[in-house]
Amino acid sequence: QVQLVESGGGSVQAGGSLRLSCAASGYTSSTYRMGWFRQAPGKEREGVAAINTFGVTAYADFVKGRFTISQDNAKNTLYLQMNSLKSEDTAMYYCAADRQSVLTNSWPSIANWNYWGQGTQVTVSS
């Protein structure tokens, strides 16, 4: 049973930074991809960033240059470093995982991800 547990959310002023973490357990596949998604009230869940086994990364245009996704394989932990935060970044952030490693242009589609965490709230005040 794959479990994903997010942490690191909180409240920050615009321009500030936060680092989210996602601890993964129960993962037996040697190839995989992991990602961060977010959902603001009244909006659909959207892809933020993704990374695969080989360290290949992908980002949504609205976070390029501000957010960085990374992973520590020894700790089975995924990170999202968020800098220059804006009020529009306010959302519940979710960690996701999948057993395939390919990152195609369809990676932001939530239908392509099998495992989800419970989320961590990020609130950015202006």
Side-chain angles (χ1 to χ4, degrees), residues 15-17 48-49 57-69 80-86 89:
S17 298
V48 175
T57 59
Y59 294 91
D61 287 343
F62 53 80
V63 301
K64 281 182 179 177
R66 300 189 299 125
F67 291 10
T68 302
I69 190 171
L80 184 69
Q81 177 67 44
M82 305 186 295
N83 299 328
S84 303
L85 283 162
K86 306 175 182 180
D89 294 319

Side-chain angles (χ1 to χ4, degrees), residues 5-77:
V5 180
E6 304 95 334
S7 61
S11 296
V12 65
Q13 290 191 330
S17 298
L18 281 174
R19 188 176 81 155
L20 306 184
S21 299
C22 172
S25 61
Y27 221 83
T28 58
S29 177
S30 60
T31 59
Y32 59 88
R33 61 183 182 179
M34 297 190 74
W36 288 100
F37 290 72
R38 70 185 188 185
Q39 187 168 18
K43 294 188 177 181
E44 294 186 350
R45 192 170 299 189
E46 59 184 0
V48 175
I51 189 169
N52 68 6
T53 316
F54 310 105
V56 177
T57 59
Y59 294 91
D61 287 343
F62 53 80
V63 301
K64 281 182 179 177
R66 300 189 299 125
F67 291 10
T68 302
I69 190 171
S70 62
Q71 59 190 352
D72 184 331
N73 293 329
K75 296 181 179 179
N76 291 330
T77 301

